[in-house]
C-alpha cells in the first residue's frame, strides 16, 4: 500500500495561513476537506446555515472556517476562524499548505508485481504507484501517482487512472482548477475497460473502486467517488464527484449521477437515467430526471393513452 504523508498538526496560528482569517478560538487540524469528506481531525468550511447541524455533530471536525454570524452558533470545542467568504478562504488555506508540500505523499518508488503485465506504451508514474500480482495495464493507459491497483485487475487501453478532478474554485475573482493531493484505489479482481477516466480525490482522500467491479468503456468517475464491491457500470456513464455507489449496483449505459448522491446496495439505474436524488437500496430508477421505475412506466403508459385518445 502507498504510504501517504505523515500526519502533521497545523494550527490556526500557523504563519502560512493565519493572515487569511480572524481566529475566534485556537485550534488545529490534520486534514482539510469538506464536511462530507472521510477524514479525522479535519478543517472544513461552513457558509450555509443548513449544514450547521452537521458541523455540530461530526466529531471528525476539529476546525471550522465560517462567517462571524455562524461562529456564534457553534458550541462544540473546535477551532474557529472567521471570514466573509469561508469557502474561498478555505481554498486559500488548502492551496497555501499544498504549495508548501504539506499534503505531498511520501515519495516511494513505484512497485509493480513480477506477475503483473504492463504494456510498453503505458505510462506508469515513477513514484507512489502500486500494481498487484496478476494485474494487466493495456496499451497507452496512464497510471498517475498515488494510485493503488490490486491483484488480478485489468486496466484497458487509453484509460487514465488518477488524473485531475473537475474541482473549479474562484480565488480573488479568478476561476482556477483546485490542485489535488488525493489518490485512487482499485480493489482486487476489478476491470476498467478502454477510454475510461477515474479522477483522483481532492485534498488527501481516495477515489475508491471496490473489489470485483466492472467498469465499461468511456466511463468517467469523478473525484472522491466510491464504487462498492461487485458493481457494474456500463458505457457512457458519468459519476460526478463524491458519488457513493453501494455494493452490487447496476448502472446502465449513458446514465448521469449528480454529485454527492448515494446509490444504495443492489439498486439499478436504467439506461440514460439522470439521477438527481439518492436511490434507496434495491431501488430501480428510470428517466430524466430519474424516478422509481414503476412510476416511470405508469406515467409513460398514461401518456400513450392520451395520445391514442
Amino acid at each position: 500500500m502507498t504510504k501517504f504523508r505523515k500526519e502533521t498538526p497545523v494550527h490556526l496560528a500557523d504563519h502560512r495561513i493565519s493572515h487569511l482569517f480572524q481566529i475566534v478560538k485556537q485550534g488545529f487540524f490534520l486534514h482539510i476537506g469538506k464536511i462530507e469528506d472521510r477524514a479525522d481531525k479535519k478543517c472544513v468550511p461552513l457558509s450555509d446555515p443548513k449544514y450547521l447541524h452537521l458541523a455540530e455533530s461530526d466529531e471528525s471536525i476539529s476546525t471550522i472556517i465560517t462567517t462571524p454570524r455562524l461562529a456564534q452558533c457553534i458550541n462544540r470545542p473546535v477551532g474557529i476562524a472567521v471570514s466573509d467568504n469561508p469557502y474561498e478562504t478555505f481554498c486559500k488555506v488548502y492551496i497555501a499548505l499544498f504549495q508548501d508540500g504539506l499534503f505531498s505523499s511520501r515519495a516511494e518508488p513505484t512497485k509493480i508485481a513480477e506477475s503483473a503485465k504492463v504494456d510498453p506504451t503505458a505510462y506508469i508514474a515513477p513514484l507512489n504507484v502500486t500494481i498487484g500480482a496478476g494485474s494487466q495495464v493495456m496499451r497507452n493507459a496512464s497510471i498517475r501517482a498515488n494510485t493503488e491497483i490490486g491483484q488480478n485487475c485489468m486496466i484497458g487501453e487509453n484509460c487514465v487512472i488518477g488524473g485531475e478532478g473537475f474541482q473549479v474554485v474562484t480565488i480573488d475573482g479568478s476561476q482556477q482548477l483546485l490542485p489535488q493531493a488525493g489518490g485512487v484505489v482499485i480493489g482486487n479482481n476489478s476491470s476498467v475497460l478502454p477510454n475510461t477516466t477515474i479522477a483522483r480525490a481532492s485534498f488527501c482522500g481516495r477515489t475508491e473502486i471496490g473489489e470485483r467491479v466492472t467498469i465499461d468503456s468511456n466511463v468517467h468517475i469523478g473525484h472522491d467517488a466510491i464504487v462498492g464491491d461487485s458493481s457494474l457500470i456500463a458505457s457512457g456513464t458519468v459519476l460526478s464527484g463524491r458519488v457513493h455507489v453501494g455494493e452490487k449496483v447496476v448502472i446502465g449505459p449513458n446514465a448521469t449521477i449528480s454529485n454527492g448522491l448515494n446509490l444504495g446496495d443492489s439498486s439499478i439505474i436504467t439506461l440514460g437515467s439522470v439521477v438527481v436524488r439518492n436511490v434507496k437500496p434495491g431501488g430501480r430508477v428510470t428517466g430524466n430526471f430519474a424516478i422509481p421505475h414503476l412510476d416511470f412506466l405508469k406515467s409513460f403508459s398514461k401518456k400513450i393513452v392520451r395520445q391514442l385518445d
Side-chain angles (χ1 to χ4, degrees):
M1 301 287 284
T2 301
K3 293 182 180 179
F4 283 77
R5 68 180 183 89
K6 181 181 179 181
E7 294 183 342
T8 303
V10 178
H11 293 266
L12 287 174
D14 189 300
H15 68 92
R16 294 169 292 185
I17 60 174
S18 60
H19 63 286
L20 297 171
F21 43 68
Q22 178 182 349
I23 300 173
V24 174
K25 185 186 297 184
Q26 290 287 358
F28 77 97
F29 54 93
L30 297 177
H31 304 96
I32 189 166
K34 294 184 178 180
I35 290 176
E36 61 268 32
D37 284 346
R38 296 159 293 134
D40 192 33
K41 293 183 173 56
K42 61 178 179 279
C43 173
V44 303
L46 177 62
S47 302
D48 194 326
K50 72 180 182 181
Y51 296 112
L52 181 61
H53 71 286
L54 295 176
E56 281 282 280
S57 61
D58 189 344
E59 294 185 358
S60 71
I61 297 172
S62 63
T63 300
I64 299 173
I65 300 174
T66 188
T67 64
R69 181 172 63 86
L70 287 175
Q72 298 175 13
C73 304
I74 298 171
N75 299 311
R76 286 186 56 219
V78 295
I80 301 174
V82 296
S83 163
D84 291 335
N85 190 332
Y87 185 66
E88 180 175 335
T89 299
F90 164 84
C91 291
K92 289 181 177 180
V93 168
Y94 170 70
I95 291 171
L97 297 175
F98 178 89
Q99 291 176 340
D100 203 42
L102 181 68
F103 299 126
S104 298
S105 302
R106 298 177 182 177
E108 295 189 351
T110 285
K111 298 177 182 178
I112 302 175
E114 289 186 8
S115 59
K117 297 180 180 178
V118 177
D119 189 275
T121 63
Y123 169 76
I124 311 295
L127 298 174
N128 297 341
V129 171
T130 61
I131 300 176
S135 289
Q136 301 179 65
V137 179
M138 302 301 190
R139 186 174 180 83
N140 293 325
S142 179
I143 312 299
R144 304 284 295 277
N146 299 344
T147 296
E148 301 175 10
I149 298 173
Q151 299 179 8
N152 302 313
C153 293
M154 191 276 285
I155 308 299
E157 293 84 350
N158 302 310
C159 287
V160 178
I161 310 299
E164 297 285 345
F166 188 70
Q167 185 91 338
V168 179
V169 298
T170 300
I171 305 292
D172 296 328
S174 177
Q175 285 189 342
Q176 64 181 75
L177 194 66
L178 190 73
Q180 288 124 12
V184 175
V185 177
I186 299 177
N188 298 334
N189 303 299
S190 290
S191 297
V192 183
L193 275 63
N195 301 310
T196 282
T197 60
I198 302 177
R200 66 176 176 266
S202 303
F203 311 117
C204 304
R206 315 279 186 94
T207 300
E208 298 181 12
I209 309 300
E211 297 190 352
R212 303 175 302 281
V213 172
T214 303
I215 302 173
D216 201 355
S217 302
N218 301 302
V219 170
H220 174 71
I221 296 179
H223 62 85
D224 300 280
I226 301 174
V227 179
D229 295 348
S230 303
S231 289
L232 305 175
I233 302 177
S235 180
T237 292
V238 174
L239 295 187
S240 301
R242 293 185 170 83
V243 169
H244 189 166
V245 177
E247 296 184 2
K248 299 181 180 178
V249 172
V250 177
I251 302 179
N254 294 312
T256 299
I257 316 299
S258 186
N259 61 297
L261 295 183
N262 294 316
L263 309 183
D265 293 348
S266 302
S267 58
I268 298 174
I269 314 301
T270 63
L271 76 170
S273 293
V274 177
V275 182
V276 296
R277 291 178 291 187
N278 292 336
V279 179
K280 65 182 181 181
R284 180 184 177 113
V285 298
T286 300
N288 181 1
F289 293 134
I291 59 176
H293 186 66
L294 291 178
D295 292 347
F296 177 87
L297 293 179
K298 290 176 183 177
S299 176
F300 184 75
S301 297
K302 290 179 180 178
K303 181 178 180 180
I304 294 298
V305 170
R306 285 196 300 269
Q307 290 175 345
L308 292 175
D309 289 344

